[in-house]
Amino acid sequence: MSSPPSLPATDAPDASKAAPSSPDPDTGASDADDATVDSAPAPGPTEAHLDIAHGIKIGIHKEKYYLLWVLGDTDFMWASSATTRSNPEHHLREFLTYTRAKIKNLRVDGEFARRHGLGQGTSKFEAFCRSQNITISPAPAYNHTSQARIEGAVRITKEHLRCLLKTANAPPRFWPWALEHFGSGDDYWRVADRPPRWTRFPGHH
């Protein structure tokens, strides 16, 4: 009896090449998806506008102010409530960490520059911006025309805060939560034929 024909030799699998992972049964995500997210490009340098606005009431945790950021090329907004106008560099660090934005130029008004000692060599905010390669561009004090973009954003946020609180029948001291809700929703909301602001944000995922 003749022996069965031999099978063609095959190369052994390369152990250095990881096999594709199967999707997670709960989320449907795989390691490849995570790798794609982790390797997403960071946003490119852009111009940002900053203002510190008064809240509509003393918040439930004694918040009196909120810092509002607007990225100039996308109108992407970010807001964070605060009990004091001191230490804005902490909020800037938080903004850069969560959004992964690369700010090249930061526009502030003259009142902000005076209050935080910009140009005097003792400002912690200025030192932090320098460490992040951010150039600060102060506008003349109380000249709202030169800061029209951020001033308009402040007006819009306050109008929506009041509408949200009234619709929810919530007391005014809850405005910090309404601010967070509006900020996140507005950046994801499609306006007319334009895509949401978040999708116009470089490196979004």
Side-chain angles (χ1 to χ4, degrees):
M1 178 181 290
S2 61
S3 58
S6 59
L7 296 175
T10 57
D11 295 333
D14 188 352
S16 64
K17 296 181 180 180
S21 59
S22 57
D24 185 281
D26 295 327
T27 62
S30 65
D31 294 341
D33 296 330
D34 295 337
T36 302
V37 172
D38 293 340
S39 61
T46 186
E47 181 180 66
H49 305 257
L50 166 65
D51 197 15
I52 301 180
H54 288 266
I56 60 176
K57 194 82 171 182
I58 296 180
I60 196 168
H61 294 303
K62 309 301 182 184
E63 299 94 339
K64 295 181 180 179
Y65 313 98
Y66 64 94
L67 287 82
L68 186 63
W69 317 81
V70 175
L71 292 182
D73 53 351
T74 63
D75 289 333
F76 178 86
M77 289 196 304
W78 177 276
S80 55
S81 56
T83 58
T84 176
R85 287 180 285 192
S86 303
N87 304 318
E89 63 274 6
H90 298 332
H91 297 277
L92 176 56
R93 182 183 293 108
E94 179 187 65
F95 172 72
L96 296 176
T97 300
Y98 278 93
T99 64
R100 298 172 61 243
K102 301 295 183 182
I103 299 177
K104 179 174 62 176
N105 184 49
L106 179 62
R107 291 186 59 84
V108 298
D109 60 20
E111 171 63 17
F112 181 95
R114 181 193 64 79
R115 182 179 296 278
H116 297 285
L118 302 186
Q120 299 179 11
T122 59
S123 171
K124 294 181 179 178
F125 182 81
E126 193 170 25
F128 178 77
C129 287
R130 192 181 304 114
S131 71
Q132 302 297 314
N133 297 317
I134 299 174
T135 302
I136 304 176
S137 301
Y142 303 110
N143 187 340
H144 297 286
T145 303
S146 60
Q147 280 285 80
R149 176 167 291 180
I150 190 67
E151 292 290 346
V154 169
R155 178 185 59 81
I156 291 171
T157 53
K158 288 190 175 182
E159 288 178 354
H160 282 273
L161 286 182
R162 294 186 174 94
C163 291
L164 286 169
L165 292 170
K166 183 177 181 180
T167 302
N169 197 26
R173 66 179 183 274
F174 280 22
W175 68 264
W177 281 280
L179 177 67
E180 182 178 351
H181 174 77
F182 169 69
S184 60
D186 188 60
D187 287 327
Y188 281 92
W189 195 260
R190 178 182 294 273
V191 179
D193 295 332
R194 302 189 67 188
R197 294 170 180 170
W198 180 252
T199 60
R200 304 200 303 271
F201 190 73
H204 83 279
H205 59 268

